[in-house]
Amino acid sequence: MLMASGENVQLTLSDSGAIASLRAVGRAEVLVTDSKSLPAFQLQYIDGGGNFRQLSSHDRRTHGSDRSETPDETVLHSSFLDLGGVGIDVDVTVRCPRDEALTYWSLSLRQPHGVVIADVQFPFVVAPYDYEAGGPTKLLIPMREGRLHEAPRPEDLEPDHPSTWQFLSAHNSFDHYPGTMFAQFLAYYNDSHGIYIGCHDTRGAVKNLKAVHHPSGLRLGVSHVVGWSEPGSHELGYEVAVGVFDGDWHTAADLYRDWYEEAAKPTKLADRADAPAWILDSPVHVILRAQGEVDSGPAPANAEVVPYPEALPLLDAFSENVKSAVLPVVMSWEGPGPWVYPESFPVVGGDDSMRAFTQAARDRGWHVGTYCNGTQWVTEHKWTGYDGGAYYAAGGGERTVCRTPDGSPWRNDWDAEWRTSYTCCAAVDRTQELARDYVGHLLDLGFDWVQFFDQNCGAAAFPCYSHDHGHPPAPGRWMTHAMDTLFDSFDALAAESPRDIVFSVESAPNDYAMPRFHICDIRPDLGRGTDVVPLYQYLFHEYVLTQAAFAPGPNPYWMEIKTASSFALGDVLTAILGREGRLINWSGTPWARWDSPAGDQEAVLTLLRRASAMRRGPGKDFLVLGRLLGVSPVDQVGQVQWTEGAHAESAPAVMHAAWAAHDGRTAVALANWTREPQNVRLAARQEGDEGTFHLQDSDPVLLSGLAGGDIELPPLAVALLEWPA
């Protein structure tokens, strides 16, 4: 066995090079399952017939290892030669700094001609589901907005099967990093200790990070999607950090954020020259649907929106009610039917009508946005009768479409009920040309806010196995390079525009692509008992805006709860316009029919008016430009309980979160979404124990003796309690 021990962590490798144990120094608990069956790594390669084959460190012909010391660290090295008789050699190096709680792993590989390495799974970390001490385990996954699984069981996870790590057409083609997996780490912990594994890579290499069920326990799996097809030597090009921590999910997130901010050096929104002042002024985003009410349903043009100037009186009334500039976001406007790409123009109702609308909005000091369809190719819309087969054939669709391992076109299955669509390979020139022309047309129509990467969730490139697209015949780093080229072309279009342009993306953008966007479309489930945590805002709020127009939640108080939650967590405020200008107050999947219950329109408008004013006013340095803190001092919040149909529902009566401004001031944002007064208590003492209480529609009040004190919030109140630096 090889062992390395520093001041904080002790690592032991088995004779086969696998992790035998990982523990905090001075702790008796073994944090990683000790199993002789565990490999040091696994890899998959694609044979000449397009079949996936698997090898691991157990399949080596020979194996050697050694240990060396420097004053600062211990270095463990293992070599694995001639895996499976195929001629693949792998070297693994582990650095163990003496003064850290993390160890750092790197890998290099040599492969013969004719072998395509699809992925390398490394390091191989498996932990028990439960410990005798420390309470139930928790699992933090940076997927979509952030997921925290409590006491995970085998049936809650995917099995650790080869197909789990393969890109197959039946799987979501964006649930990887960089994609809806927005950061490259996993964390697992209980009240006593935790395990962190994170990839310290600033260049956006493609990875799958998943917690899966392994016969030996819960595996914190990292699959490096390398796509190495050339014979010779290859290096992973970055280190993987594996170590221990004490704390909760915020502590694990801090480990990743500390590395990311030091290595990637992202620019804060407040300092970004490309962030228009108007988006930082937080206009309320209003969704307008041009055709139909739901995606899988009839799609006639909606008279409230088309012709587009018809929507202006409704928007004027809404703007007056909420006392804010608005940003209309027009969706479902594609001429042949909602969500048809790339044969979308002219828009339903005509391009001239759209230009008249965007100009009228600018005359009001507003800006207009739009949702798009991403790098898809739609050939059929079943509700409108659109048949795009001829356009697909004449427009080069065949050569743009991603290919599965067997060479078939990559068909989307999630939308098969109402349309036929294919993912497109971003490495193909024709894909890039179509996207550039499309965005150029949108800017010509007068849009200032463009969410082209809708369905490229998280700003993901789609995987492709084509031999004819100018990239290696497997997913890999080329996907990131192709997206970089596409981002560059959009930035060039924005630079040529006489207006300040904002780019958005569906889902929280991965941290590699995040600097390319100003805002994103997140959809956290606000329902009772969900596993959503605000991990994205906690990590990256200072760098990109979020809006949660389509975040699902419990009815009939969906809009009240969503507005209060968005205010507290620093989202841009949003609403969805329905029939005759009525706000949609009913949660759908992801949107409801227009004839859904009207709910309490006055309550929602009041919350939107107060929340947007506080966000633009005293809250701007916190809720727009500040950093979300891990712990709010608010305690003893009452719960509202009700029954909707057969479901028992509940929600906190007051949404709250703590914030820090760049100058050192701190604050807690509070929103009482109910029509009853609510009391909250400040459980944590603050510096000076004195703060300024900003209650919207009231004058600021200086409060002292706050620690352990009660604060009464009036009905539908939005407040900010601020402490000096």
Side-chain angles (χ1 to χ4, degrees):
M1 287 193 174
L2 292 178
M3 187 178 76
S5 183
E7 297 174 5
N8 301 299
V9 65
Q10 185 181 81
L11 170 70
T12 304
L13 301 184
S14 69
D15 291 337
S16 63
I19 298 178
S21 69
L22 179 74
R23 69 182 73 194
V25 170
R27 298 281 183 90
E29 300 95 339
V30 176
L31 298 188
V32 176
T33 299
D34 186 1
S35 172
K36 294 181 180 179
S37 66
L38 296 181
F41 60 84
Q42 291 182 337
L43 63 82
Q44 299 192 84
Y45 70 96
I46 303 174
D47 66 17
N51 303 302
F52 284 92
R53 305 292 185 187
Q54 289 76 41
L55 293 170
S56 78
S57 58
H58 294 315
D59 297 310
R60 84 281 188 188
R61 181 174 56 83
T62 60
H63 169 233
S65 61
D66 60 74
R67 180 177 183 271
S68 61
E69 300 277 353
T70 73
D72 298 323
E73 64 184 12
T74 301
V75 179
L76 310 178
H77 176 261
S78 301
S79 60
F80 308 85
L81 304 180
D82 195 18
L83 301 183
V86 178
I88 298 173
D89 302 331
V90 174
D91 289 308
V92 172
T93 301
V94 187
R95 295 191 306 109
C96 305
R98 303 200 188 286
D99 60 350
E100 295 189 34
L102 299 177
T103 62
Y104 299 91
W105 299 62
S106 57
L107 179 144
S108 61
L109 178 148
R110 294 174 297 279
Q111 68 192 86
H113 178 73
V115 175
V116 177
I117 308 295
D119 75 290
V120 179
Q121 298 165 41
F122 159 86
F124 210 91
V125 178
V126 178
Y129 278 92
D130 296 302
Y131 290 100
E132 293 182 0
T137 53
K138 301 177 180 66
L139 181 62
L140 179 67
I141 302 177
M143 173 67 73
R144 297 189 181 271
E145 304 81 25
R147 299 290 184 266
L148 184 67
H149 300 310
E150 303 261 357
R153 305 305 308 153
E155 58 270 22
D156 300 325
L157 308 174
E158 291 183 74
D160 192 6
H161 184 270
S163 64
T164 299
W165 305 102
Q166 297 163 8
F167 286 107
L168 303 173
S169 59
H171 293 183
N172 280 338
S173 51
F174 42 68
D175 284 345
H176 52 270
Y177 177 90
T180 53
M181 181 64 70
F182 58 79
Q184 15 178 7
F185 77 98
L186 299 168
Y188 161 96
Y189 65 95
N190 64 8
D191 294 338
S192 296
H193 47 242
I195 302 174
Y196 169 92
I197 180 169
C199 299
H200 287 187
D201 165 35
T202 60
R203 298 188 297 164
V206 180
K207 307 168 189 74
N208 276 313
L209 298 96
K210 298 181 181 183
V212 296
H213 172 70
H214 186 274
S216 298
L218 185 155
R219 179 181 166 202
L220 301 176
V222 180
S223 165
H224 309 273
V225 183
V226 293
W228 290 330
S229 59
E230 293 296 320
S233 298
H234 303 273
E235 292 189 358
L236 208 54
Y238 50 87
E239 292 182 311
V240 183
V242 179
V244 295
F245 68 92
D246 291 322
D248 63 7
W249 68 263
H250 300 94
T251 310
D254 288 342
L255 290 172
Y256 186 79
R257 182 170 60 186
D258 289 347
W259 163 80
Y260 175 77
E261 292 184 338
E262 173 64 26
K265 294 179 171 52
T267 303
K268 292 180 173 63
L269 268 174
D271 301 322
R272 282 181 59 175
D274 69 327
W278 62 261
I279 193 66
L280 299 180
D281 285 340
S282 301
V284 177
H285 288 40
V286 187
I287 309 296
L288 303 177
R289 189 177 176 106
Q291 297 181 86
E293 297 181 23
V294 294
D295 282 348
S296 184
N302 293 315
E304 288 83 355
V305 180
V306 180
Y308 303 99
E310 293 295 316
L312 289 168
L314 305 179
L315 291 168
D316 286 333
F318 175 78
S319 176
E320 175 61 27
N321 278 326
V322 298
K323 306 299 181 187
S324 171
V326 299
L327 189 147
V329 181
V330 187
M331 52 181 263
S332 302
W333 48 261
E334 293 83 356
W339 312 114
V340 169
Y341 173 88
E343 192 179 10
S344 305
F345 303 109
V347 303
V348 63
D351 284 6
D352 289 342
S353 175
M354 184 69 81
R355 287 191 183 94
F357 174 69
T358 58
Q359 181 59 55
R362 280 194 297 279
D363 292 342
R364 288 163 167 78
W366 302 347
H367 301 270
V368 180
T370 183
Y371 281 20
C372 304
N373 204 39
T375 56
Q376 313 273 331
W377 196 303
V378 176
T379 60
E380 178 185 32
H381 198 291
K382 299 176 182 179
W383 285 101
T384 67
Y386 168 70
D387 181 355
Y391 184 80
Y392 177 80
E398 180 73 15
R399 70 177 187 270
T400 71
V401 171
C402 296
R403 299 292 164 165
T404 62
D406 66 3
S408 302
W410 196 303
R411 169 76 171 85
N412 278 321
D413 56 2
W414 62 269
D415 58 353
E417 179 181 330
W418 54 279
R419 70 175 183 182
T420 301
S421 69
Y422 301 90
T423 61
C424 290
C425 177
V428 178
D429 288 343
R430 180 60 175 154
T431 300
Q432 300 249 346
E433 177 187 25
L434 286 165
R436 285 194 304 270
D437 291 348
Y438 196 86
V439 171
H441 195 150
L442 293 174
L443 299 185
D444 177 67
L445 290 175
F447 289 107
D448 302 314
W449 185 108
V450 176
Q451 186 165 300
F452 174 82
F453 292 106
D454 206 277
Q455 299 164 49
N456 293 81
C457 296
F462 298 130
C464 178
Y465 292 88
S466 173
H467 290 258
D468 304 317
H469 287 175
H471 60 70
R477 194 185 293 272
W478 63 263
M479 296 161 59
T480 304
H481 296 330
M483 289 295 279
D484 282 339
T485 302
L486 196 50
F487 295 149
D488 288 344
S489 70
F490 289 179
D491 288 344
L493 289 170
E496 295 169 0
S497 173
R499 307 183 309 277
D500 291 329
I501 304 301
V502 163
F503 288 116
S504 179
V505 59
E506 181 178 0
S507 196
N510 65 82
D511 58 20
Y512 174 79
M514 181 175 63
R516 302 291 197 150
F517 298 95
H518 308 94
I519 190 169
C520 62
D521 165 20
I522 61 172
R523 302 178 186 183
D525 191 339
L526 305 175
R528 176 172 172 262
T530 66
D531 58 4
V532 174
V533 291
L535 174 60
Y536 195 82
Q537 288 103 320
Y538 181 73
L539 285 172
F540 302 131
H541 181 272
E542 295 169 287
Y543 304 108
V544 67
L545 298 169
T546 54
Q547 62 96 354
F550 295 118
N555 292 317
Y557 304 115
W558 166 63
M559 266 298 286
E560 291 96 321
I561 291 170
K562 182 174 75 71
T563 302
S565 177
S566 281
F567 169 75
L569 290 176
D571 301 331
V572 173
L573 281 304
T574 60
I576 305 172
L577 208 61
R579 200 170 307 283
E580 297 178 348
R582 190 189 83 197
L583 300 186
I584 292 183
N585 271 5
W586 201 260
S587 180
T589 53
W591 40 75
R593 295 178 57 88
W594 288 16
D595 57 359
S596 57
D600 192 338
Q601 295 276 312
E602 182 186 6
V604 173
L605 289 168
T606 299
L607 282 169
L608 286 170
R609 174 175 55 79
R610 291 173 172 171
S612 60
M614 185 69 77
R615 181 178 170 86
R616 293 191 305 272
K620 184 170 183 177
D621 287 344
F622 303 98
L623 304 175
V624 180
L625 303 175
R627 171 169 288 198
L628 179 64
L629 300 178
V631 179
S632 168
V634 174
D635 197 9
Q636 298 185 12
V637 175
Q639 289 282 318
V640 181
Q641 299 179 338
W642 72 96
T643 301
E644 173 57 37
H647 300 285
E649 299 284 1
S650 66
V654 175
M655 301 298 178
H656 59 92
W659 291 87
H662 292 167
D663 59 7
R665 288 175 296 142
T666 57
V668 59
L670 305 132
N672 171 16
W673 58 267
T674 75
R675 281 194 172 273
E676 303 295 330
Q678 300 291 339
N679 286 331
V680 297
R681 171 160 292 184
L682 295 178
R685 184 179 179 84
Q686 298 291 321
E687 284 289 333
D689 202 23
E690 183 175 273
T692 302
F693 186 62
H694 304 274
L695 181 67
Q696 191 58 41
D697 296 341
S698 299
D699 293 330
V701 176
L702 188 66
L703 298 180
S704 60
L706 288 172
D710 289 335
I711 294 177
E712 181 176 277
L713 294 173
L716 305 175
V718 168
L720 190 81
L721 183 53
E722 176 188 340
W723 288 273

